């Protein structure tokens, strides 16, 4: 197993949905089919590149899944338990299709809220209830979660530890170490081009960018009232 991996995170793919409004900032992580295919093609044959999907969009199954299968690639899908069957989103049948194709499914929470601003009751729904609903579909307890908007602090991490989560996926950018609890990811979006792939897949971020990321991660882990 490689000691360092790059995790590429996919949100919506293709034309923007007409059936629901995009969330704030979602247009920044919505990729065209060509960009998505480019990201996949660059991952073929690379055991140090992993792929995840967030948000449980209908495009996960309609566009993402067939193109993964064509290339013999696997991806981890993080779905929104409270959005199943909503316009533009996956339904339970879609989740089952992912599972049947051998794709692991984890939780992205309930309603795509910012987990830094949850009451205890909302946190129970976002983590506890979402995990129960998704676990009933997958047939096993949910152990992996992806944090909505990559927005976390000490309180969020404590809640996830208490819930027994084995892996927590962020959006911090840069490389990740396979055995670590927090897994940094890199979102693809409208800015994906050959230079983006070279920089992200081959870890060519400048030393200044790398240093900034390390500081930002430390701040996130520590901030928030105890
Ligand atoms: Zn999300």
């Amino acid at each position: 197993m490689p000691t360092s991996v790059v995790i590429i995170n996919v949100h919506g793919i293709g034309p923007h949905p007409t059936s629901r409004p995009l969330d704030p900032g979602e247009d920044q992580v919505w990729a065209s089919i060509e960009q998505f295919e480019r990201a996949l093609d660059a991952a073929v044959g690379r055991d140090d590149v992993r792929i995840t999907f967030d948000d449980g969009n209908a495009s996960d199954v309609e566009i993402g899944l067939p193109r993964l299968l064509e290339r013999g690639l696997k991806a981890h899908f993080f779905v929104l338990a409270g959005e199943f069957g909503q316009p533009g989103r996956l339904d339970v049948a879609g989740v089952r299709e992912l599972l049947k194709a051998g794709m692991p499914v984890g939780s992205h929470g309930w309603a795509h809220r910012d987990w830094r601003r949850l009451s205890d009751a909302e946190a129970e729904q976002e983590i506890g209830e979402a995990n129960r609903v998704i676990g009933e579909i997958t047939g096993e307890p949910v152990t992996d979660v992806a944090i909505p908007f990559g927005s976390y602090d000490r309180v969020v991490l404590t809640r996830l530890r208490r819930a027994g989560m084995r892996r927590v996926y962020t959006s911090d950018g840069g490389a990740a170490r396979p055995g670590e609890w927090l897994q940094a990811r890199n979102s693809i979006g409208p800015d994906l081009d050959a230079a983006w792939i070279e920089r992200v897949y081959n870890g060519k971020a400048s030393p200044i960018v790398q240093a900034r990321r390390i500081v930002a991660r430390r701040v996130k882990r520590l901030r928030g009232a105890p």
Side-chain angles (χ1 to χ4, degrees):
M1 196 196 272
T3 55
S4 173
V5 298
V6 171
I7 308 173
I8 303 304
N9 190 29
V10 181
H11 296 82
I13 320 158
H16 289 185
T18 51
S19 52
R20 70 168 179 92
L22 292 187
D23 279 345
E26 199 176 2
D27 57 330
Q28 296 306 306
V29 292
W30 201 283
S32 70
I33 292 176
E34 294 72 24
Q35 286 168 323
F36 170 65
E37 288 181 336
R38 202 163 185 171
L40 290 190
D41 288 339
V44 172
R46 296 269 309 246
D47 70 346
D48 61 337
V49 175
R50 309 273 155 87
I51 302 161
T52 65
F53 283 67
D54 279 5
D55 296 352
N57 282 298
S59 59
D60 288 8
V61 165
E62 289 166 7
I63 300 171
L65 182 61
R67 287 166 176 79
L68 287 166
L69 294 174
E70 268 168 29
R71 292 165 176 79
L73 292 169
K74 274 236 155 104
H76 206 134
F77 287 78
F78 294 96
V79 298
L80 289 165
E83 294 285 314
F84 290 148
Q86 293 300 307
R89 303 286 190 185
L90 281 179
D91 56 12
V92 173
V95 178
R96 291 195 201 285
E97 207 175 324
L98 295 172
L99 291 165
K100 209 172 141 201
M103 305 293 163
V105 172
S107 176
H108 195 41
W110 187 266
H112 217 234
R113 298 184 182 106
D114 183 338
W115 285 2
R116 288 177 67 198
R117 312 193 195 292
L118 300 178
S119 66
D120 285 343
E122 286 169 336
E124 164 52 26
Q125 184 182 50
E126 286 289 325
I127 300 168
E129 179 70 8
N131 284 1
R132 276 191 290 281
V133 167
I134 295 165
E136 270 169 31
I137 302 168
T138 63
E140 52 192 13
V142 171
T143 58
D144 292 26
V145 295
I147 299 175
F149 312 104
S151 175
Y152 66 89
D153 59 17
R154 198 148 45 121
V155 177
V156 172
L157 298 185
T158 300
R159 281 177 172 146
L160 293 171
R161 279 198 196 279
R162 286 198 183 130
M165 294 300 97
R166 194 177 53 99
R167 287 281 179 281
V168 174
Y169 290 80
T170 70
S171 305
D172 287 341
R177 276 187 239 288
E180 281 194 354
W181 190 60
L182 283 181
Q183 298 282 306
R185 301 181 297 170
N186 304 270
S187 293
I188 71 166
D191 60 339
L192 184 141
D193 57 12
W196 190 96
I197 290 195
E198 173 61 18
R199 190 170 70 244
V200 174
Y201 283 53
N202 298 324
K204 296 282 166 56
S206 71
I208 293 171
V209 169
Q210 291 185 25
R212 268 193 210 132
R213 277 188 190 136
I214 289 167
V215 172
R217 282 183 216 179
R218 269 186 208 144
V219 169
K220 284 187 187 182
R221 283 179 208 204
L222 294 176
R223 78 184 169 193

